[in-house]
């Protein structure tokens, strides 16, 4: 599942390529059209296929940025700003190509759902194998309130204070630490991979209750999350299963992970343990993490 570093990598590669470009036309897959016709909301959320297809042509992409695990395409038409918000879900990927044959992996090619065509034949292609991704066309972030409730970016000045304030709230203090740091209202963009790594580096058991960790350790843990996220951004993200960079290449961070999906602990060589915490599988070392 693409997490913050992977989305950041994608946004960094998209920026120089599509900023300033104008969308000419939009193609939507039959799968999405059928799903919408059946009253479901595969990928395209909150807007019908026809409105989406009619809204985007002649929109200029003014700017692209990332907020948590969302990609914001800031659009403009006739001086009015709009926003196209993309969340990659479990297995979404964007490819910038001149022809669909440039998408080399069959599993992505077979699951192309949205194509934004630009002039001169280039296109921005959204493929999503498991279809848990989301695309929303909005006037602004206010149109979709969950975007307003996200914790500050982990690299922002106020992110640590926000996290510490959350950690003493009754609704959070009895939660397992791993569930706490993976909550998007607490820390933005810390998914399973990076929560697992940060907790291992800090030797904290993922099931430990928030209130049983000192303020000093909580601060150290937060800083460790930031370090792991930055390290991953520098290494092109983790290509665990279906994440690809925009050119179809894999990231390198998966080679640097110490605990996520590991069978043995790299420190004491004991067999790692697994436990479901907050609905997610957590891998940890029962000896090293207390
Ligand atoms: Zn160990």
């Amino acid at each position: 599942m693409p997490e913050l570093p992977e989305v950041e990598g994608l946004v960094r590669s998209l920026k120089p390529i599509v900023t300033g470009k104008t969308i000419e036309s939009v193609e939507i897959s039959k799968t999405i059209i059928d799903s919408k016709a059946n009253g479901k909301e595969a990928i395209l959320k909150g807007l019908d296929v026809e409105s989406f297809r009619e809204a985007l042509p002649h929109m200029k992409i003014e700017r692209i940025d990332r907020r948590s695990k969302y990609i914001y395409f800031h659009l403009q038409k006739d001086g009015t700003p709009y926003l196209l918000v993309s969340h990659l879900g479990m297995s979404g990927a964007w490819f910038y190509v001149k022809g669909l044959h440039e998408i080399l992996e069959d599993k992505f090619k077979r699951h192309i759902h949205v194509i934004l065509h630009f002039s001169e034949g280039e296109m921005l292609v959204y493929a999503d194998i498991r279809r848990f991704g989301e695309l929303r066309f909005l006037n602004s972030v206010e149109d979709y309130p969950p975007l307003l409730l996200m914790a500050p970016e982990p690299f922002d000045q106020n992110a640590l204070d926000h996290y510490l304030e959350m950690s003493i709230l009754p609704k959070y203090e009895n939660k397992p630490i791993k569930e706490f740091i993976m909550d998007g209202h607490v820390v933005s963009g810390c998914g399973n991979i990076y929560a697992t790594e940060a907790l291992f580096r800090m030797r904290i058991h993922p099931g430990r209750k928030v209130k049983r960790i000192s303020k000093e350790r909580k601060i150290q843990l937060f800083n460790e999350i930031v370090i792991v996220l930055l390290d991953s951004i520098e290494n092109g993200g983790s290509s665990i299963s279906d994440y690809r960079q925009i050119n179809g290449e894999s990231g390198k961070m998966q080679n640097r992970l110490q605990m996520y999906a590991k069978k043995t602990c790299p420190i004491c060589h004991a067999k790692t343990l697994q436990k479901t915490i907050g609905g997610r599988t957590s891998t940890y070392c029962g000896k090293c993490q207390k």
Side-chain angles (χ1 to χ4, degrees):
M1 170 186 237
E3 297 192 12
L4 183 151
E6 293 78 50
V7 178
E8 176 67 23
L10 187 57
V11 167
R12 286 185 187 183
S13 11
L14 281 173
K15 259 182 199 172
I17 303 174
V18 299
T19 305
K21 289 224 151 68
T22 301
I23 299 165
E24 286 214 332
S25 62
V26 179
E27 269 182 77
I28 311 274
S29 73
K30 188 171 181 305
T31 309
I32 292 189
I33 293 171
D34 290 348
S35 150
K36 299 287 273 187
N38 290 325
K40 292 192 191 132
E41 290 265 279
I43 300 170
L44 214 54
K45 308 288 181 187
L47 200 65
D48 61 86
V49 171
E50 230 17 74
S51 308
F52 188 80
R53 217 156 26 191
E54 281 170 17
L56 287 177
H58 313 299
M59 291 263 171
K60 184 176 169 194
I61 300 178
E62 297 252 286
R63 201 168 88 242
I64 302 176
D65 43 43
R66 180 192 56 73
R67 178 72 177 91
S68 187
K69 293 195 270 185
Y70 290 92
I71 303 165
Y72 286 5
F73 293 90
H74 297 271
L75 308 174
Q76 186 255 107
K77 183 154 89 176
D78 302 329
T80 309
Y82 299 90
L83 193 63
L84 179 66
V85 178
S86 160
H87 190 289
L88 302 175
M90 299 293 286
S91 53
W94 284 98
F95 297 94
Y96 183 79
V97 291
K98 287 208 190 295
L100 295 180
H101 63 276
E102 289 178 35
I103 300 173
L104 299 177
E105 284 179 278
D106 229 29
K107 62 177 179 179
F108 287 109
K109 215 187 293 189
R110 277 189 283 117
H111 297 279
I112 290 170
H113 291 297
V114 177
I115 305 177
L116 306 180
H117 291 275
F118 300 112
S119 54
E120 293 165 20
E122 331 92 292
M123 45 187 134
L124 196 53
V125 178
Y126 181 72
D128 194 334
I129 300 161
R130 297 176 65 182
R131 298 200 299 274
F132 286 118
E134 297 180 7
L135 261 184
R136 289 173 197 276
F137 178 72
L138 310 172
N139 288 308
S140 70
V141 284
E142 278 78 18
D143 283 356
Y144 184 56
L147 299 176
L148 301 169
L149 300 172
M150 293 187 286
E153 282 296 302
F155 318 115
D156 284 359
Q157 282 269 306
N158 58 343
L160 173 62
D161 285 343
H162 173 83
Y163 153 93
L164 289 173
E165 279 166 25
M166 293 287 134
S167 74
I168 51 175
L169 294 181
K171 67 184 268 203
Y172 287 125
E173 63 173 8
N174 284 308
K175 291 245 191 244
I177 185 67
K178 180 153 179 282
E179 187 178 346
F180 176 69
I181 60 177
M182 284 181 64
D183 187 317
H185 302 108
V186 174
V187 181
S188 260
C190 180
N192 203 7
I193 300 173
Y194 302 108
T196 298
E197 289 302 301
L199 288 167
F200 176 67
R201 290 180 184 202
M202 284 298 299
R203 310 287 182 258
I204 297 174
H205 190 291
R208 196 177 177 90
K209 283 186 179 171
V210 173
K211 68 177 177 191
R212 291 196 51 239
I213 300 172
S214 69
K215 185 178 176 187
E216 194 193 346
R217 295 271 285 162
K218 280 191 281 193
I219 293 172
Q220 288 169 344
L221 174 61
F222 183 85
N223 291 334
E224 203 60 50
I225 293 169
V226 170
I227 291 168
V228 176
L229 290 173
L230 289 173
D231 190 23
S232 181
I233 289 171
E234 288 311 305
N235 284 283
S238 304
S239 295
I240 298 295
S241 55
D242 295 327
Y243 165 69
R244 293 294 178 276
Q245 293 168 356
I246 190 168
N247 53 7
E249 284 176 14
S250 298
K252 294 187 181 68
M253 184 65 183
Q254 64 277 15
N255 306 321
R256 300 167 67 84
L257 301 176
Q258 297 176 41
M259 180 51 63
Y260 183 82
K262 299 291 178 207
K263 296 268 184 282
T264 55
C265 170
I267 304 288
C268 73
H269 308 292
K271 259 189 154 174
T272 58
L273 302 174
Q274 290 204 327
K275 189 177 177 181
T276 303
I277 296 173
R280 305 294 300 274
T281 304
S282 300
T283 307
Y284 64 101
C285 175
K287 288 186 181 166
C288 296
Q289 291 175 259
K290 301 292 176 197

